[in-house]
Amino acid sequence: MTSVPTSPGAPHHDRPTLAVVGATGAVGTVMLSILSQHADIWGEIRLIASPRSAGKKLTVRGEEVEVVALAEEAFEGVDVAMFDVPDEVAAQWAPIAAAKGTVVVDNSAAFRMDPDVPLVVPEVNPHAARVRPRGIIANPNCTTLSMIVAVGALHAEFGLRELVVSSYQAVSGAGLAGVEALRAQLKLVAGTELGTTPGDVRRAVGDDTGPFPEPIALNVVPWAGSLMDDGWSSEELKVRNESRKILDRPDLPVSVTCVRVPVITTHSLTVHARFENEVTVDRAHEILSTAPGVVLFDNPGAGEFPTPADVVGTDPTWVGRVRRSLDDPTALELFVCGDNLRKGAALNTAQIAELVAAELRGNS
Amino acid sequence: MTSVPTSPGAPHHDRPTLAVVGATGAVGTVMLSILSQHADIWGEIRLIASPRSAGKKLTVRGEEVEVVALAEEAFEGVDVAMFDVPDEVAAQWAPIAAAKGTVVVDNSAAFRMDPDVPLVVPEVNPHAARVRPRGIIANPNCTTLSMIVAVGALHAEFGLRELVVSSYQAVSGAGLAGVEALRAQLKLVAGTELGTTPGDVRRAVGDDTGPFPEPIALNVVPWAGSLMDDGWSSEELKVRNESRKILDRPDLPVSVTCVRVPVITTHSLTVHARFENEVTVDRAHEILSTAPGVVLFDNPGAGEFPTPADVVGTDPTWVGRVRRSLDDPTALELFVCGDNLRKGAALNTAQIAELVAAELRGNS
């Protein structure tokens, strides 16, 4: 089958075949762990990576599976493929897989803003996954994903009118190199008196700051991604554009500042959300405490608010510090945490793949 | 002299006597260092602290000075006193000093919102320092001070209509105990694989998290201060109320979320500022590059944006990442850094004291 499958004409598969492309990376590793934890709906799970990783054996569902090299033949008989590879690799290989009839769920930025590729968060816009003219479904950026489930639940009730967002992004958002950079820098600054005179941390760390433009230990760095027009970073525009697309509000005002912080994993965000209608904290609490994929953890008097140290390794979007603006009864302030490798990447990709599998089996 | 002095009736002092109350604390130490660096306009500099520190010798202007105990007599002959002591100590002792004719410049929260006490930032509202019915001038909170010089310069030109602020606050904002807590926790997490499973950092750190409600190493904590009404923290309300008072805009909408980060010293803030009139980045750059007390450092293509590691130990407010909102031509996004112990506390207090000294000398 070389044409792109659409839902009505797709064959029914009792146990569809899944491929994981980029199985050896930081997100790929979490994908395999999630596949081992979730209900086992898949037939074969094929692991695909770059030729230099071919032959390596990885464990999924308790079994060792040998990694095969990325090639057109690797997609033979694959119903659904989850891609976590660099943008340019995805841009080349996702259409090749799709042309062989594979539904591609892609975690790169290559297709997210393509009008013929849906951008899906199962808790927010699951219906969008069914309309995929190119046979490709895109998974949002990890920063967008770390907040959008909570924001989407509030939007469904109150109707969003504006978002102002600041991020506190973990180093693993920049991959294993980001984690290694922070770990190495922490060894250099721990047990010292550094962090009190201009440039002392920089001198201790030296010129090799890893994937970050400045030292990240004992520091925060207001930069993520590449430079776009008018001083914006690519990461900031991703959060803006992807939020608009997921929420189906192409004209939503969204202002974002992305800042890297010395946390290993779990992105945090402050969200100032203005709605069409008046809001109350009580009603926001009700919505957030029943929204799928959200944990409300909001009782500061009892020391309850989410932090990355609590949230890392968990699936939901955690929300705390819910306050109504003192000046505007239509605005809420939130503090949101999400594991950027799980919900921010591997988990959401797996959830989309599971949506597609249910559709292919004809039972959704 | 027991009545409170007012400008017209105040005596002229060629070299007024200064007292530093709380000279042995984190901010007091920086005050002495600043007094040693600034033009030497003072006659005697008297160092005052709690009775348990009396007799200790500290260096200021290159000379050893013995600390005297806080007592009414300690203010005899003192023209200006800079206080950095807990709120309740300031509430008790500032009026005692003022009753002896001393102009008190107080860095606690005790008097900041008192309508009879001006709240002064010399670059923004120096005129306010002259009207002090209680003989007391308040110094703003360190978080407010870390951004208000930059925001005030833009306000003077464009007219503020709204502020949405998120903070990235250093641990020294919680005093030496905050610094010690982060240093101790860094030793426990450096060289480990912690930060990847729920609660692993918390278990390594144990129950003693110092002045913070959660571990601060490898973490961010969305809480500073004490719990106020409707879920707000005292720190968030300080930034809101103090910004309004300093800018003389009592009705300004201000939304703040305060978050602690693992940085030793220098608070950072993201600022979404909406103005009465249309703004341009070029004009904002012109204003910020000429505003007293501000350094514009904004060329991300060349890797130029402020970070705490660059800014710590310096006097100005550093501003970068200046962008105009993509949806609203009247709004700017900024990233601002200021040393919370210098401009955020000791420096601004010293600048106010110097304003008063100039007034007492009659040459302003």
Side-chain angles (χ1 to χ4, degrees):
Chain A
M1 182 165 85
T2 53
S3 68
V4 172
T6 56
S7 300
H12 290 202
H13 299 67
D14 267 0
R15 292 179 72 83
T17 294
L18 175 72
V20 179
V21 184
T24 56
V27 171
T29 304
V30 180
M31 282 177 177
L32 301 191
S33 139
I34 286 171
L35 290 170
S36 305
Q37 294 161 354
H38 280 204
D40 182 15
I41 61 165
W42 304 104
E44 183 190 354
I45 295 183
R46 196 173 300 171
L47 307 187
I48 301 176
S50 64
R52 73 172 181 283
S53 293
K56 197 170 170 179
K57 286 181 177 168
L58 299 175
T59 301
V60 60
R61 298 185 295 189
E63 285 170 24
E64 281 206 331
V65 178
E66 188 170 313
V67 174
V68 301
L70 180 58
E72 192 175 340
E73 314 83 75
F75 294 100
E76 212 67 60
V78 172
D79 298 293
V80 183
M82 309 198 297
F83 274 58
D84 188 80
V85 294
D87 293 357
E88 63 279 12
V89 178
Q92 181 186 351
W93 286 93
I96 292 171
K100 294 189 81 74
T102 302
V103 178
V104 174
V105 185
D106 178 41
N107 189 34
S108 83
F111 301 99
R112 287 180 190 144
M113 297 315 297
D114 184 327
D116 289 332
V117 173
L119 184 66
V120 175
V121 181
E123 295 89 342
V124 181
N125 63 343
H127 51 279
R130 288 180 166 270
V131 184
R132 44 179 192 263
R134 299 190 61 180
I136 301 170
I137 300 169
N139 192 62
N141 169 275
C142 55
T143 310
T144 311
L145 270 171
S146 296
M147 62 131 184
I148 200 71
V149 178
V151 168
L154 294 169
H155 171 58
E157 168 103 2
F158 297 129
L160 262 179
R161 205 158 46 121
E162 185 183 12
L163 282 175
V164 181
V165 171
S166 296
S167 77
Y168 301 67
Q169 298 188 220
V171 295
S172 64
L176 292 174
V179 176
E180 284 162 14
L182 175 55
R183 299 268 192 221
Q185 293 175 25
L186 283 180
K187 280 194 209 174
L188 296 171
V189 304
T192 72
E193 296 295 309
L194 293 167
T196 57
T197 60
D200 62 3
V201 168
R202 179 193 300 272
R203 285 188 295 275
V205 165
D207 288 338
D208 182 8
T209 53
F212 310 117
E214 298 289 324
I216 187 64
L218 295 180
N219 208 15
V220 300
V221 179
W223 192 259
S226 53
L227 180 63
M228 309 299 279
D229 287 346
D230 301 321
W232 295 91
S233 74
S234 56
E235 186 85 351
E236 288 158 353
L237 296 186
K238 284 177 185 177
V239 174
R240 169 183 162 85
N241 294 333
E242 296 177 16
S243 297
R244 289 171 150 199
K245 183 167 177 176
I246 295 161
L247 300 172
D248 197 19
R249 280 289 315 276
D251 57 348
L252 184 70
V254 183
S255 288
V256 186
T257 301
C258 286
V259 180
R260 192 77 64 180
V261 297
V263 165
I264 300 291
T265 293
T266 292
H267 289 351
S268 305
L269 298 102
T270 60
V271 178
H272 172 82
R274 217 153 48 89
F275 298 95
E276 299 290 349
N277 303 304
E278 196 164 319
V279 296
T280 66
V281 169
D282 283 351
R283 185 67 192 123
H285 275 175
E286 282 173 18
I287 294 165
L288 293 167
S289 61
T290 56
V294 175
V295 169
L296 177 70
F297 192 55
D298 188 19
N299 185 357
E304 293 182 356
F305 34 74
T307 77
D310 300 318
V311 170
V312 60
T314 71
D315 285 347
T317 301
W318 294 54
V319 187
R321 303 298 326 281
V322 181
R323 291 148 291 154
R324 190 167 84 167
S325 165
L326 293 165
D327 306 296
D328 178 353
T330 72
L332 288 174
E333 316 297 322
L334 316 169
F335 185 79
V336 183
C337 291
D339 184 315
N340 52 297
L341 298 180
R342 292 183 73 88
K343 185 60 186 178
L347 174 64
N348 199 70
T349 306
Q351 287 175 298
I352 297 170
E354 289 162 1
L355 270 186
V356 175
E359 175 196 322
L360 295 179
R361 288 197 314 271
N363 61 359
S364 69
Chain B
M1 184 164 85
T2 54
S3 68
V4 172
T6 57
S7 299
H12 289 201
H13 299 67
D14 266 0
R15 292 179 73 83
T17 294
L18 176 72
V20 179
V21 184
T24 56
V27 171
T29 304
V30 180
M31 282 178 178
L32 301 192
S33 139
I34 286 171
L35 289 170
S36 305
Q37 294 161 355
H38 280 205
D40 182 14
I41 61 166
W42 303 104
E44 184 190 354
I45 295 183
R46 196 173 300 172
L47 307 186
I48 301 176
S50 64
R52 72 171 184 285
S53 293
K56 198 170 169 180
K57 286 183 177 166
L58 299 174
T59 301
V60 60
R61 296 185 295 189
E63 283 170 26
E64 282 206 331
V65 178
E66 188 170 314
V67 175
V68 301
L70 181 57
E72 192 176 339
E73 315 82 74
F75 295 99
E76 212 66 61
V78 172
D79 298 292
V80 183
M82 309 199 295
F83 274 59
D84 188 81
V85 294
D87 294 356
E88 63 279 11
V89 178
Q92 181 187 350
W93 286 93
I96 292 172
K100 293 190 82 73
T102 303
V103 179
V104 174
V105 184
D106 177 42
N107 189 33
S108 83
F111 301 99
R112 287 181 191 142
M113 297 315 296
D114 184 327
D116 289 331
V117 173
L119 184 65
V120 175
V121 181
E123 295 88 343
V124 180
N125 63 342
H127 51 280
R130 288 180 166 269
V131 184
R132 43 179 192 263
R134 299 191 62 180
I136 301 170
I137 301 169
N139 192 62
N141 169 275
C142 56
T143 310
T144 310
L145 271 171
S146 297
M147 63 131 183
I148 200 71
V149 178
V151 168
L154 295 169
H155 172 57
E157 167 103 2
F158 297 130
L160 263 178
R161 204 158 47 121
E162 186 183 11
L163 282 175
V164 180
V165 171
S166 295
S167 77
Y168 302 68
Q169 299 188 220
V171 295
S172 64
L176 292 173
V179 175
E180 284 162 14
L182 175 55
R183 299 266 191 223
Q185 292 175 26
L186 283 180
K187 281 194 208 174
L188 297 170
V189 304
T192 72
E193 296 295 309
L194 293 167
T196 57
T197 60
D200 61 3
V201 168
R202 180 194 300 274
R203 286 188 294 277
V205 165
D207 288 338
D208 182 8
T209 53
F212 310 117
E214 299 288 324
I216 187 64
L218 295 179
N219 207 15
V220 301
V221 179
W223 192 259
S226 54
L227 180 63
M228 309 299 280
D229 287 347
D230 301 321
W232 295 91
S233 73
S234 56
E235 186 86 352
E236 289 158 354
L237 296 185
K238 284 177 186 176
V239 175
R240 169 184 162 83
N241 294 333
E242 295 177 18
S243 296
R244 289 171 150 199
K245 184 168 176 176
I246 295 161
L247 300 172
D248 197 19
R249 280 290 315 275
D251 57 347
L252 184 71
V254 183
S255 287
V256 186
T257 301
C258 286
V259 180
R260 191 78 64 180
V261 297
V263 165
I264 299 292
T265 293
T266 293
H267 289 351
S268 306
L269 298 102
T270 60
V271 178
H272 172 82
R274 215 153 48 88
F275 298 95
E276 299 290 348
N277 303 305
E278 196 165 319
V279 296
T280 66
V281 169
D282 283 350
R283 185 69 191 122
H285 275 175
E286 283 173 16
I287 294 165
L288 293 167
S289 62
T290 55
V294 175
V295 169
L296 176 70
F297 192 55
D298 188 18
N299 185 357
E304 293 183 356
F305 34 74
T307 77
D310 300 317
V311 170
V312 60
T314 70
D315 285 347
T317 301
W318 294 54
V319 187
R321 303 297 327 281
V322 181
R323 291 148 291 153
R324 190 167 83 165
S325 165
L326 293 164
D327 306 297
D328 178 353
T330 72
L332 288 174
E333 316 296 323
L334 316 170
F335 185 78
V336 183
C337 291
D339 184 315
N340 52 297
L341 299 181
R342 293 183 73 87
K343 185 60 186 177
L347 174 64
N348 200 70
T349 306
Q351 287 176 298
I352 297 171
E354 289 162 2
L355 269 187
V356 175
E359 175 195 322
L360 294 180
R361 286 198 314 270
N363 62 0
S364 68

